[in-house]
């Protein structure tokens, strides 16, 4: 790590969303000028909250956040807010500043060169693809030329070329940068240290070294704690049996039993709770719509984007039950638009077998009602002929497998982290029992521990599937029967 001055320090910082959702408990860490740091932690642990504390959008309940004088901070967020989707490019960047910027157009052009994106300044934000929106989010932070750059899942939706471009930028970047990402290979190329937010202790542990070394160090520590727990629990069980035996004898033996119980209490305090970061979602299975047989989908033509214009191309794609199509192409060519039209039956040249139930995992989670509680969202995914008493048991059991506890079930979708929204979306697919599964970047925002479980579930799915993913390691774990490269048709 850099030996330059400390530009930011958390000193016993505590923060919570109300009394039932603590995030930080007397957290301590520091960041030096010029350092490139990864912020790690499970989905929902509060990583994005730390970014909001750094930008003073939120304020700590107690403790102090000491920031170097005149230090400027900017964040490239995970997603563009819904209320900014109708803005033009120019209006979007103007909102990055608290006062009017008179040379905004040349500044936009300059930052577009950095992110390798070219578009008219009067183009509407919602017309950009997911990958292009990811670049716009990065540009919105860079245009402010901050001393401290905060990147929240910057590789989400980026194609291979986009990730390579971002990686080179960060390697050459001279200022301080803190990154939240689940892309391990990307992180390991530039990380000099890790801040690890422990969802159990609510503290931040600081490590020096590259990303892979730190992950290995954390894994060894967790295994050590689990071995210690096993020894303590065995000792406690043995002493409880003895205390119970002596307690029934009376007289002096009762004193012996009392002292043994005191020792048991001491040992129980030494037990380290299994850290929730070490938890992974349970193996799950997405059932296929039972009555579906034969050809499920036929595509005769697709619309792609070339030079900011829609162009129709002829294709010949047939998908039967248990067949999978991988849809590829660079950011901005129209993959998400194609999937959306398919999912809603608004696409020319598309024939989906009548009665087919479509399960659609959308990268921005706009298929979810953000005002619903998680419980209501899951319930709405069920068929109409469900038994309500059975449903409640089924929903809670399913939710637990996706690390969704009773508190989260009562939480509104809009209050969840992006990673938690992703887990809710997968749980809904299990309940929907689709005949056709459409997946648009299903690993975005998802904790790396969950990805092999999700890949295994998709590989076992027996319906028809269309997948878009820019994560080769994920795609390799799923059988693919056909590839449609939109750039080559």
């Amino acid at each position: 790590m850099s030996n330059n001055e400390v530009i930011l320090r958390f000193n016993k910082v505590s923060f919570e969303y109300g009394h039932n959702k603590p995030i930080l408990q007397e957290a301590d860490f520091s960041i030096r000028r010029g350092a490139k740091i990864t912020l790690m932690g499970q989905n929902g642990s509060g990583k994005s909250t730390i970014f909001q504390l750094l930008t003073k959008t939120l304020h700590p309940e107690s403790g102090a956040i000491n920031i170097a004088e005149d230090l400027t901070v900017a964040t490239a967020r995970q997603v563009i807010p819904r209320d900014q989707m109708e803005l033009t490019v120019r209006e979007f960047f103007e909102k990055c500043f608290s006062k009017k910027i008179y040379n905004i157009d040349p500044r936009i052009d300059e930052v577009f060169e950095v992110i390798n994106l070219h578009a008219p300044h009067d183009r509407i934000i919602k017309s950009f693809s997911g990958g292009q929106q990811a670049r716009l989010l990065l540009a919105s932070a860079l245009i402010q030329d901050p001393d401290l750059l905060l990147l929240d899942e910057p590789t989400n939706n980026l194609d291979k070329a986009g990730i390579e471009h971002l990686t080179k930028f960060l390697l050459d970047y001279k200022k301080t940068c803190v990154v939240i990402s689940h892309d391990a290979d990307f992180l390991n190329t530039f990380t000099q240290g890790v801040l690890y937010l422990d969802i159990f202790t609510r503290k931040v542990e600081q490590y020096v070294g590259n990303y892979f070394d730190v992950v290995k160090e954390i894994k060894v520590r967790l295994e050590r704690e689990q071995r210690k727990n096993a020894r303590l629990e065995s000792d406690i069980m043995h002493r409880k049996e003895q205390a119970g035996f002596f307690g029934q004898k009376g007289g002096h033996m009762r004193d012996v039993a009392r002292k043994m119980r005191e020792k048991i209490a001491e040992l129980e305090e030494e037990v380290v709770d299994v850290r929730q970061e070490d938890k992974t979602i349970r193996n799950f299975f997405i059932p296929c719509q039972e009555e579906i047989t034969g050809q499920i989908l036929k595509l005769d033509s697709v619309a792609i984007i070339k030079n900011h214009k829609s162009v129709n191309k002829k294709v010949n794609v047939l998908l039967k039950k248990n067949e999978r199509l991988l849809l590829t192409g660079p950011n901005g060519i129209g993959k998400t638009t194609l999937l959306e039209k398919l999912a809603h039956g608004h696409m020319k040249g598309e024939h989906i077998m009548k009665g087919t139930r479509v399960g659609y995992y959308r990268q921005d989670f706009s298929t979810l009602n953000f005002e619903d509680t998680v419980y209501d969202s899951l319930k709405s995914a069920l068929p109409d002929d469900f038994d309500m008493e059975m449903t409640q048991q089924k929903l809670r059991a399913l939710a637990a497998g996706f690390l969704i506890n009773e508190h989260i079930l009562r939480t509104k979708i809009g209050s969840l982290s992006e990673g938690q929204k992703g887990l809710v979306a997968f749980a809904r697919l299990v309940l929907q029992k689709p005949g056709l599964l459409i997946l648009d970047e299903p690993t975005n925002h998802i904790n790396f521990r969950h990805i092999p479980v999700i890949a295994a579930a998709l590989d076992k799915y027996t319906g028809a599937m269309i997948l878009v993913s820019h994560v080769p390691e994920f795609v390799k774990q799923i059988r693919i029967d056909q590839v449609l490269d939109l750039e080559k048709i």
Side-chain angles (χ1 to χ4, degrees):
M1 288 185 45
S2 170
N3 291 319
N4 293 331
E5 83 221 73
V6 171
I7 58 170
L8 184 148
R9 188 186 300 278
F10 270 45
N11 186 12
K12 298 193 179 304
V13 171
S14 296
F15 179 83
E16 62 180 40
Y17 290 106
H19 294 296
N20 60 354
K21 195 176 179 185
I23 302 295
L24 295 176
Q25 185 66 43
E26 296 191 341
D28 292 297
F29 66 87
S30 60
I31 296 174
R32 296 182 181 274
R33 190 179 297 278
K36 295 187 177 80
I37 303 294
T38 293
L39 178 56
M40 277 180 69
Q42 190 189 352
N43 291 333
S45 62
K47 301 184 295 295
S48 296
T49 300
I50 287 181
F51 275 12
Q52 290 177 283
L53 289 166
L54 291 175
T55 56
K56 300 181 180 178
T57 307
L58 297 174
H59 302 281
E61 310 287 335
S62 61
I65 301 174
N66 302 311
I67 299 177
E69 190 175 356
D70 298 326
L71 187 86
T72 54
V73 185
T75 306
R77 294 162 295 182
Q78 291 188 42
V79 292
I80 295 175
R82 292 184 171 197
D83 61 2
Q84 294 185 20
M85 284 295 188
E86 298 295 336
L87 298 177
T88 64
V89 167
R90 187 179 294 105
E91 291 167 340
F92 174 73
F93 283 104
E94 284 175 337
K95 287 185 73 69
C96 297
F97 301 94
S98 56
K99 57 184 180 181
K100 184 165 180 63
I101 304 296
Y102 291 96
N103 63 336
I104 192 72
D105 284 309
R107 289 179 72 163
I108 293 172
D109 289 335
E110 187 178 341
V111 80
F112 270 12
E113 286 297 323
V114 175
I115 64 165
N116 195 29
L117 179 68
H118 304 282
H121 296 186
D122 57 356
R123 184 172 168 182
I124 303 298
I125 295 297
K126 71 176 183 182
S127 70
F128 288 91
S129 73
Q132 290 171 326
Q133 288 182 22
R135 297 182 196 212
L136 288 171
L137 286 164
L138 175 60
S140 70
L142 295 180
I143 201 169
Q144 299 173 59
D145 191 25
D147 300 311
L148 174 58
L149 177 63
L150 308 177
L151 304 179
D152 199 348
E153 300 287 3
T155 62
N156 278 356
N157 302 315
L158 286 183
D159 55 18
K160 184 180 177 182
I163 292 173
E164 288 174 354
H165 197 83
L166 175 59
T167 302
K168 184 179 184 308
F169 166 78
L170 289 173
L171 286 170
D172 296 338
Y173 193 60
K174 303 301 181 189
K175 295 187 178 182
T176 314
C177 184
V178 181
V179 182
I180 298 170
S181 175
H182 291 117
D183 187 333
D185 290 323
F186 163 71
L187 290 171
N188 203 55
T189 55
F190 61 84
T191 294
Q192 300 164 323
V194 170
L195 298 172
Y196 181 67
L197 176 52
D198 185 327
I199 200 170
F200 173 67
T201 64
R202 313 293 179 189
K203 296 187 185 299
V204 177
E205 299 164 358
Q206 190 152 10
Y207 296 83
V208 175
N210 69 35
Y211 181 78
F212 287 154
D213 287 345
V214 171
V215 168
K216 194 181 298 181
E217 187 178 343
I218 291 170
K219 183 182 179 184
V220 168
R221 192 197 66 214
L222 292 172
E223 289 171 350
R224 189 168 58 243
E225 289 175 354
Q226 288 165 357
R227 286 196 299 271
K228 178 185 175 184
N229 277 358
R231 288 195 301 270
L232 285 169
E233 285 164 4
S234 176
D235 193 6
I236 288 167
M237 183 68 69
H238 178 64
R239 288 172 186 269
K240 279 183 176 179
E241 289 173 358
Q242 287 186 318
F245 175 76
F246 290 135
Q248 294 173 0
K249 295 294 181 182
H252 174 64
M253 291 293 101
R254 286 189 178 177
D255 287 336
V256 173
R258 179 179 54 79
K259 288 178 180 177
M260 292 188 77
R261 290 190 184 102
E262 289 173 358
K263 181 60 178 176
I264 288 168
E266 289 176 19
L267 291 172
E268 285 178 334
E269 287 182 6
E270 289 184 41
V271 173
V272 179
D273 286 280
V274 176
R275 294 168 186 265
Q276 290 184 43
E277 286 90 347
D278 203 36
K279 288 186 179 179
T280 304
I281 59 174
R282 289 181 203 149
N283 292 328
F284 67 97
F285 176 71
I286 302 174
C288 174
Q289 188 176 352
E290 291 176 2
E291 61 270 24
I292 289 293
T293 57
Q295 182 180 296
I296 293 175
L297 171 71
K298 186 173 189 292
L299 277 181
D300 297 322
S301 65
V302 296
I304 63 171
I305 307 298
K306 284 199 171 181
N307 301 318
H308 308 292
K309 292 181 180 179
S310 181
V311 179
N312 279 315
K313 295 281 187 177
K314 287 188 177 182
V315 295
N316 183 23
V317 174
L318 298 175
L319 275 187
K320 296 179 181 178
K321 190 172 180 179
N322 203 26
E323 290 186 342
R324 296 89 178 275
L325 170 70
L326 178 66
L327 193 64
T328 66
N331 290 146
I333 202 164
K335 298 186 296 296
T336 293
T337 302
L338 191 157
L339 294 186
E340 185 178 8
K341 287 181 177 178
L342 264 177
H344 295 106
H346 299 150
M347 184 176 162
K348 292 180 180 177
E350 159 237 314
H351 310 280
I352 296 178
M353 189 174 78
K354 190 175 180 181
T356 302
R357 205 155 46 234
V358 178
Y360 181 27
Y361 185 106
R362 190 180 159 111
Q363 58 178 246
D364 63 359
F365 307 121
S366 58
T367 51
L368 303 176
N369 183 344
F370 281 32
E371 292 302 312
D372 278 351
T373 64
V374 172
Y375 180 83
D376 287 337
S377 182
L378 294 178
K379 193 170 73 171
S380 70
L382 283 159
D384 294 331
D385 56 346
F386 59 83
D387 178 282
M388 192 58 208
E389 187 175 341
M390 182 68 103
T391 295
Q392 291 186 6
Q393 297 170 358
K394 184 177 180 180
L395 287 188
R396 281 172 168 76
L398 176 69
F402 285 95
L403 305 183
I404 298 168
N405 59 27
E406 193 64 35
H407 168 68
I408 297 173
L409 279 172
R410 296 193 301 269
T411 302
K412 285 189 175 183
I413 296 288
S415 299
L416 300 180
S417 72
E418 297 302 302
Q420 288 172 319
K421 288 172 190 165
L423 296 182
V424 171
F426 276 113
R428 282 174 53 89
L429 292 177
V430 172
L431 296 169
Q432 286 173 341
K433 299 182 181 178
L436 172 62
L437 196 53
I438 297 176
L439 301 152
D440 192 3
E441 298 290 359
T443 60
N444 280 2
H445 315 290
I446 298 293
N447 188 302
F448 66 90
R449 290 185 183 88
H450 307 329
I451 288 176
V453 180
I454 291 167
L458 297 183
D459 192 52
K460 292 172 186 170
Y461 175 66
T462 59
M465 182 196 304
I466 302 177
L467 172 66
V468 168
S469 176
H470 288 121
V471 184
E473 291 305 314
F474 174 70
V475 175
K476 283 178 188 175
Q477 299 174 64
I478 303 167
R479 174 176 58 80
I480 299 295
D481 301 295
Q482 302 177 50
V483 178
L484 179 61
D485 187 341
L486 297 184
E487 194 175 28
K488 295 180 179 177
I489 58 175

